[in-house]
């Protein structure tokens, strides 16, 4: 991160920080803005370690600062601010991953059931079981690839969204959807080949 001051280079005097916290508790958003500037770099790094995506890490850090501001009345005066804040950042990042995984598992389950149910009305339970066995490795492979690759494949091929719609939902450029889809399909292919070799 050349050109950007590292958080450790910013002088943080505990007494000054406690004054900023006290003013922030009284609703002084400028004081809280100073606290954000003092801790933004480390908050972003902690978020990135968890979510592994720069844009999402920025969202996580921003949401964490908003939550920290709302929770300042629960901060124990005189305590170090940074560990308290970074705990909020980490929890926000973990919660975001859990929500995303729940949504993806639900989408995969619905898609899996739809594929099994999409056979002929007269198809036998045995045929449905064979079809389920055939698609199970695909869903295992999807679960094994990275979150951002899995997300784009689920939106494009499981939910059937266009590139434009996927870009809007995931808040990424359309060109990123195209390139990420290509990389995701390659990763999925590698996982499926591993299943076959195993």
């Amino acid at each position: 991160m050349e050109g950007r001051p590292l958080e450790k280079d910013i002088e943080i005097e505990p007494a000054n920080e406690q004054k900023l916290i006290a003013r922030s508790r009284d609703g002084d958003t400028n004081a809280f803005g100073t606290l954000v500037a003092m801790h933004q770099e480390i908050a972003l790094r902690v978020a990135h370690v968890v979510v592994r995506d720069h844009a999402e890490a920025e969202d996580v850090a921003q949401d964490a600062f908003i939550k920290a501001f709302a929770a300042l009345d629960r901060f124990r005066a005189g305590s170090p601010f940074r560990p308290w804040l970074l705990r909020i950042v980490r929890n926000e990042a973990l919660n975001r991953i859990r929500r995303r995984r729940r949504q993806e598992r639900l989408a995969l389950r619905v898609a899996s059931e739809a594929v099994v149910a999409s056979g002929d009305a007269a198809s036998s339970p045995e045929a449905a079981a064979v079809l389920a066995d055939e698609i199970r490795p695909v869903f295992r492979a999807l679960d094994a690839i990275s979150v951002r690759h899995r997300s784009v494949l689920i939106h494009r091929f499981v939910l059937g969204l266009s590139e434009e719609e996927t870009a809007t939902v995931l808040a990424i450029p359309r060109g990123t959807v195209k390139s990420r889809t290509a990389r995701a399909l390659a990763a999925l292919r590698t996982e499926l080949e591993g299943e076959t070799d195993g």
Side-chain angles (χ1 to χ4, degrees), residues 131-146:
L131 183 56
D133 283 342
E134 288 173 353
I135 63 168
R136 203 166 282 125
V138 175
F139 291 111
R140 271 199 306 268
L142 268 174
D143 204 39
I145 64 177
S146 74

Side-chain angles (χ1 to χ4, degrees), residues 29 67 74 76 158 193:
T29 53
K67 288 185 176 180
R74 297 197 299 274
R76 199 172 72 232
V158 176
E193 287 168 358

Side-chain angles (χ1 to χ4, degrees), residues 109-128:
R109 192 179 317 124
V110 168
S112 176
E113 289 168 1
V115 169
V116 171
S118 67
D120 295 334
S123 67
S124 68
E126 292 82 8

Side-chain angles (χ1 to χ4, degrees), residues 22-107:
R23 285 171 45 200
S24 299
R25 276 178 142 160
D26 291 337
D28 184 339
T29 53
N30 288 331
F32 192 72
T34 303
L35 284 171
V36 169
M38 291 162 70
H39 297 285
Q40 190 165 24
E41 189 73 32
I42 188 69
L44 185 58
R45 279 186 269 156
V46 168
H48 193 275
V49 164
V50 178
V51 298
R52 303 287 181 160
D53 180 87
H54 184 72
E56 190 160 14
E58 288 181 335
D59 290 343
V60 165
Q62 182 178 12
D63 289 349
F65 278 118
I66 291 168
K67 288 185 176 180
F69 184 73
L72 275 174
D73 59 330
R74 297 197 299 274
F75 176 74
R76 199 172 72 232
S79 299
F81 181 72
R82 187 164 77 166
W84 180 80
L85 171 68
L86 295 183
R87 206 164 32 248
I88 293 172
V89 173
R90 184 175 178 278
N91 287 342
E92 178 64 21
L94 291 172
N95 287 339
R96 188 171 291 236
I97 286 176
R98 286 187 201 108
R99 278 195 304 270
R100 188 170 55 198
R101 284 181 180 159
R102 276 198 301 271
Q103 290 166 350
E104 289 173 355
R105 277 197 299 268
L106 179 60

